[in-house]
Amino acid sequence: MTGTEFTAWFGKLKLDANGEIEDCDLFDKDPEKLAEIVVELQNNPQSVPLQRADLRDAALECGFVELDEDYDILLRDVCIRAAKSQISQTDTDDSRIIQAVEALDDIDKNVNELSERLFEWYGRYFPELEMTGEGLANFVSAYGSRTNVPEDHAMSEKASQSMGAELLFADEELLRTFANNICSLYDTRRYIENYINTSMGSVAPNLCEVAGASLGARLMSMAGSLEKLAAFPSSTVQVIGANRALFKHLRSRAPSPKHGIIFNNPVIKNAPWWQRGKLARALAAKISLAARTDFYSGELDPTIKEALDKKLESIRQANPNPPEKKPEAKPQKRGGKRKSRGRKKNKKSGGNN
Amino acid sequence: MPVRELSSGIYELDIDDRKMLATKNMIPGMSVYGERLITDDDTEYRQWDPSRSKLGAMVLKNFDIPLESDSIVLYLGAASGTTVSHVSDILTDGLVYAVEFSPRTMRDLIQLCDQRPNIIPILADANKPQSYAQIVEKADVIFQDVAQPNQAEIAAINSKYFLEEQGHLMLSIKSRSIDTVASPKKIFKEEVRKLESGFDIEFEVLERKELDPFHEDHLGLVAQMFVDDEE
Ligand SMILES: C[S@@+](CC[C@H](N)C(=O)[O-])C[C@H]1O[C@@H](n2cnc3c(N)ncnc32)[C@H](O)[C@@H]1O
């Protein structure tokens, strides 16, 4: 009949075989320190005897507090501190990159909408100007009314002959301000991209090397964290981003989709169609390995990328020609290349050369 | 205004011929999630929306609610505290330990804890009761709403560690988090069977009812832990 030890938030308890307290060694009554102890115990759980004195009774019995209320007040204080410190620790390196990736998507969505508005709006005053996006925003921000376009500018002739309406001063100021904002969103976008590129190199060097900074970051974001990405089997990595199809597959055992975001990697996108599936599988396998290496060791292991390149090359060598039979229902559409910003779907257009 | 106490600390107000579920607001003037505040004779009530709370739905489904003003409650799956805030209202002399494992959600819950003296926040996984055993005392009631496939196991191990003898377990079982294809009825039956005999502690299921129309494919359940009388 030996007793057990159990650490409560207020002290170390020695319990006899019936769970009654034999001895207690109380901690300092400092909420900050107690919170640290609570977090520490939470991260390294102890084995908990089922037969144990009730914590509140024990605290009163050992004289840690005198009143029930004091127990409540102190415990609440300690637990709020502990939870707050745990939350602040969740601001990890990969979570920062994920926020940046998501900010990038938000900017894209907004900048597209604002650019379209500028196109419509400014189009009234200079419909012949065939500019969109950042070019248009820069143009409007620089010149405002087309009457300000300098003579040596490529658009100067179009500007002087334009059928557009006259731009009043108040509207011109408004348009320029609006355009300035769009320009600064494009700047922010580049800034974030840079941030992702540099942080990926230190946070997930292997993923960065194998998948590229931007795709690697995006995979982490879609998985939820580097840890989760590292836990995925490579067959899942291959289809991350094929969301609707993927969820359907997980839910109802529908056939698994083949086209995740890793198909945006040039290695696959620029390959002839009959090689893509195999290349994607090889890439996914190495991405998976890279994510695991990053999560567990954090050191760059150049052999991953070397092995990948070798593997890709051997797939290309082994499949130089299209198979005899084309896969069923391959769309015959050609050309009609549309700018498909924001569209996730990966049409197999072009590519067969 | 007619006010009826349905269960300890839980009220039904009659407002313009409409019945409304509510609790007495512990922090007058504060609405937690945009719910209506109603004052009657110096008492402020907070509307309790049963379609946003499994516990609220259980009240309206006429469950016997085992909560008293001085109960100690372990609440698993607290989320941002919609329901926890009403439990906090009910437990005027009690305490609720609110366990939630999503840090993002816990951020909101902590704001609630900052205002209310009787909620103890715990950021932890309910699958690992050892990780919060240094904090949680014996509870009169365990309320669980975690929407996980192993809901029954989670309830059982937490009861084993923390439930008082003859304490009550209140469970919301979401069939779709267990199996998305099988029929809810079948799933509920299996979960009840597990609770009654699948673990090394046993429960007597006191009441079970589906929570529609407030929550589709959810079963509400109240059970009491069996005490072996070995002696
Ligand atoms: C349906 S919501 C609960 C809603 C809440 N009971 C209410 O009525 O306001 C389920 C919550 O349980 C949490 N959860 C799921 N699994 C958990 C686990 N293993 N441990 C702790 N919390 C968990 C989820 O993060 C989510 O916030």
Side-chain angles (χ1 to χ4, degrees):
Chain A
M1 283 255 226
T2 49
T4 45
E5 289 202 356
F6 174 70
T7 309
W9 65 277
F10 51 84
K12 291 193 171 131
L13 308 177
K14 215 179 241 153
L15 309 175
D16 69 16
N18 299 320
E20 300 298 326
I21 300 168
E22 265 177 356
D23 196 13
C24 47
D25 180 7
L26 298 177
F27 296 138
D28 259 356
K29 233 166 147 179
D30 171 351
E32 198 56 54
K33 281 194 194 137
L34 292 171
E36 279 169 25
I37 294 172
V38 163
V39 173
E40 172 65 26
L41 280 170
Q42 227 178 305
N43 294 339
N44 308 295
Q46 52 185 328
S47 70
V48 178
L50 282 173
Q51 284 286 336
R52 62 183 193 279
D54 180 66
L55 291 186
R56 181 185 295 264
D57 296 344
L60 291 164
E61 200 183 314
C62 303
F64 182 69
V65 286
E66 284 179 5
L67 300 170
D68 263 336
E69 287 123 79
D70 296 340
Y71 184 87
D72 296 350
I73 292 170
L74 192 55
L75 176 59
R76 169 174 173 274
D77 186 6
V78 168
C79 286
I80 290 180
R81 283 170 198 267
K84 283 184 178 167
S85 100
Q86 284 171 300
I87 288 175
S88 63
Q89 282 161 22
T90 58
D91 183 42
T92 51
D93 294 338
D94 59 335
S95 79
R96 281 193 286 273
I97 294 179
I98 289 171
Q99 285 296 323
V101 170
E102 286 170 12
L104 211 56
D105 289 345
D106 293 342
I107 289 186
D108 280 346
K109 213 173 88 209
N110 284 297
V111 92
N112 280 337
E113 212 169 79
L114 296 175
S115 294
E116 268 168 46
R117 169 60 49 219
L118 183 64
F119 183 80
E120 278 303 306
W121 194 354
Y122 194 68
R124 296 166 163 239
Y125 307 107
F126 193 174
E128 297 82 0
L129 179 75
E130 288 175 329
M131 284 187 183
T132 54
E134 188 170 15
L136 175 64
N138 282 333
F139 184 91
V140 177
S141 154
Y143 305 118
S145 163
R146 65 184 147 79
T147 55
N148 301 330
V149 175
E151 265 178 36
D152 57 354
H153 193 282
M155 287 295 147
S156 98
E157 200 178 317
K158 280 186 177 164
S160 59
Q161 295 167 3
S162 170
M163 65 178 153
E166 190 188 332
L167 184 52
L168 300 178
F169 182 69
D171 299 58
E172 182 181 5
E173 284 303 288
L174 200 53
L175 268 162
R176 276 179 116 147
T177 311
F178 188 65
N180 277 335
N181 278 315
I182 298 177
C183 293
S184 79
L185 279 177
Y186 278 107
D187 287 343
T188 311
R189 196 182 186 290
R190 273 186 290 273
Y191 190 17
I192 296 180
E193 261 176 343
N194 261 332
Y195 171 89
I196 293 176
N197 284 338
T198 37
S199 353
M200 276 300 282
S202 64
V203 173
N206 291 290
L207 187 57
C208 190
E209 192 172 65
V210 169
S214 142
L215 176 59
R218 212 155 271 282
L219 285 167
M220 276 187 349
S221 150
M222 287 179 160
S225 67
L226 179 58
E227 180 173 9
K228 285 188 186 145
L229 182 61
F232 283 163
S234 75
S235 56
T236 304
V237 171
Q238 198 180 335
V239 295
I240 290 177
N243 273 344
R244 279 166 90 216
L246 176 61
F247 287 129
K248 197 165 161 207
H249 162 63
L250 293 177
R251 211 178 298 124
S252 63
R253 290 145 208 157
S256 85
K258 292 205 190 67
H259 289 210
I261 53 166
I262 70 165
F263 275 72
N264 292 340
N265 185 300
V267 160
I268 297 173
K269 204 158 62 180
N270 301 335
W273 60 265
W274 64 89
Q275 293 177 356
R276 285 186 199 156
K278 294 189 179 71
L279 294 172
R281 221 168 305 131
L283 180 62
K286 290 298 183 248
I287 285 177
S288 201
L289 178 61
R292 274 168 219 172
T293 312
D294 286 334
F295 183 69
Y296 291 107
S297 95
E299 303 274 312
L300 180 65
D301 174 0
T303 61
I304 303 178
K305 172 86 164 124
E306 282 161 22
L308 172 66
D309 288 341
K310 239 188 230 157
K311 178 84 191 159
L312 294 178
E313 195 43 44
S314 79
I315 291 174
R316 290 191 195 104
Q317 303 258 326
N319 303 275
N321 301 314
E324 293 290 292
K325 241 174 56 190
K326 287 197 169 187
E328 17 43 284
K330 182 163 154 31
Q332 291 293 329
K333 267 189 245 141
R334 256 149 206 279
K337 258 201 202 153
R338 272 202 280 150
K339 263 202 161 175
S340 60
R341 204 185 255 280
R343 291 187 21 171
K344 293 260 157 64
K345 229 161 134 200
N346 227 314
K347 284 248 175 72
K348 294 188 205 162
S349 63
N352 18 354
N353 28 16
Chain B
M1 172 179 69
V3 174
R4 202 158 65 92
E5 186 164 11
L6 299 178
S7 174
S8 174
I10 304 174
Y11 303 88
E12 185 180 70
L13 316 182
D14 242 314
I15 298 184
D16 313 327
D17 288 337
R18 288 263 200 86
K19 296 204 186 310
M20 180 189 283
L21 192 63
T23 53
K24 277 188 191 169
N25 196 354
M26 174 177 283
I27 314 288
M30 283 286 226
S31 163
V32 172
Y33 53 100
E35 75 284 10
R36 227 176 114 180
L37 305 179
I38 301 112
T39 309
D40 180 62
D41 278 351
D42 290 342
T43 307
E44 188 178 278
Y45 294 89
R46 293 168 52 230
Q47 177 176 13
W48 187 357
D49 181 352
S51 66
R52 296 186 56 177
S53 166
K54 316 290 159 24
L55 182 55
M58 286 168 87
V59 174
L60 290 187
K61 285 287 206 160
N62 289 318
F63 276 82
D64 246 332
I65 306 294
L67 298 173
E68 301 292 338
S69 63
D70 61 354
S71 299
I72 302 288
V73 177
L74 173 59
Y75 193 116
L76 306 172
S80 48
T82 307
T83 302
V84 172
S85 71
H86 290 289
V87 174
S88 153
D89 279 347
I90 297 168
L91 306 181
T92 47
D93 297 312
L95 204 60
V96 50
Y97 292 86
V99 177
E100 168 60 50
F101 79 168
S102 145
R104 174 66 191 85
T105 315
M106 179 53 85
R107 227 158 73 186
D108 298 337
L109 185 66
I110 286 186
Q111 314 232 308
L112 187 70
C113 301
D114 272 334
Q115 293 160 10
R116 290 171 172 258
N118 62 349
I119 311 176
I120 310 269
I122 301 174
L123 179 65
D125 182 346
N127 282 296
K128 299 182 188 140
Q130 306 87 331
S131 75
Y132 45 89
Q134 75 278 20
I135 304 170
V136 177
E137 63 191 298
K138 280 273 188 306
D140 303 303
V141 176
I142 292 183
F143 183 92
Q144 176 181 314
D145 179 15
V146 292
Q148 290 283 333
N150 60 337
Q151 297 163 81
E153 283 83 356
I154 294 178
I157 49 171
N158 279 278
S159 301
K160 194 159 135 181
Y161 279 110
F162 304 115
L163 197 54
E164 281 281 12
E165 283 181 15
Q166 311 208 358
H168 288 83
L169 171 68
M170 303 184 75
L171 205 53
S172 150
I173 300 176
K174 182 179 178 186
S175 67
R176 290 176 54 89
S177 30
I178 295 172
D179 190 322
T180 47
V181 214
S183 100
K185 294 253 181 310
K186 235 172 83 187
I187 296 172
F188 294 149
K189 220 167 132 187
E190 171 60 17
E191 294 300 299
V192 170
R193 189 201 61 74
K194 274 195 222 162
L195 278 178
E196 283 175 335
S197 57
F199 305 107
D200 52 2
I201 49 169
E202 283 175 31
F203 294 97
E204 180 186 351
V205 174
L206 304 177
E207 276 184 280
R208 44 167 297 193
K209 281 172 221 160
E210 293 194 29
L211 299 181
D212 60 312
F214 310 109
H215 303 271
E216 297 301 326
D217 297 336
H218 279 77
L219 184 76
L221 180 152
V222 177
Q224 192 166 19
M225 195 156 71
F226 261 144
V227 215
D228 289 330
D229 12 49
E230 289 159 28
E231 281 116 313

